[in-house]
Amino acid sequence: MDDNNYGPEWRNNEPAQWGGQTPYPPQYPPSGSQVVLREVGRQKENRLAIAALVLGIVTLLFFWAPFISLFTGIIGMVLAVISLVKEDQKAMPIIGMVLSILGLALTSLMILGFIVEYLTHF
């Protein structure tokens, strides 16, 4: 099905069917009209926020390994704070900070559990 008003006949290359005119549809935009072009800006990539989000996810996933989660959680929080200050978009750094805080909280509970188990073992 053709999406234009010319029907399937416009594909023929016989100008006689069209009264001597070319069988192709007219050019768009019509001559004499003005075309307004506007520049569409690229969306800025917020790399610090992406890094904070990824580190927050890693912190939350590896809360059972204190050395990994402490390192990634602290760096993720620092990057989230820097991104909140520097960038306009706030959603990703806030989510990254929340995930980092949750991961650090679970890590601290794991460390506390290790300490309690160690002290009660003797």
Side-chain angles (χ1 to χ4, degrees), residues 19-66:
Q21 297 177 355
T22 60
Y24 301 107
Q27 293 290 329
Y28 182 80
S31 61
S33 66
Q34 293 182 351
V35 177
V36 177
L37 298 176
R38 63 183 167 101
E39 184 177 331
V40 178
R42 290 185 57 201
Q43 188 177 12
K44 287 191 336 184
E45 294 179 7
N46 195 351
R47 294 182 184 183
L48 289 175
I50 293 171
L53 183 64
V54 169
L55 288 173
I57 292 170
V58 169
T59 304
L60 196 58
L61 289 177
F62 289 100
F63 73 91
W64 49 269

Side-chain angles (χ1 to χ4, degrees), residues 39-108:
E39 184 177 331
V40 178
R42 290 185 57 201
Q43 188 177 12
K44 287 191 336 184
E45 294 179 7
N46 195 351
R47 294 182 184 183
L48 289 175
I50 293 171
L53 183 64
V54 169
L55 288 173
I57 292 170
V58 169
T59 304
L60 196 58
L61 289 177
F62 289 100
F63 73 91
W64 49 269
F67 296 114
I68 296 172
S69 60
L70 283 175
F71 181 72
T72 58
I74 292 170
I75 292 177
M77 285 183 54
V78 168
L79 289 178
V81 168
I82 293 171
S83 179
L84 279 171
V85 171
K86 289 179 75 174
E87 301 294 335
D88 294 333
Q89 298 174 351
K90 306 290 185 198
M92 268 198 296
I94 289 174
I95 294 171
M97 183 178 290
V98 167
L99 290 177
S100 293
I101 290 171
L102 285 175
L104 287 173
L106 289 173
T107 301
S108 64

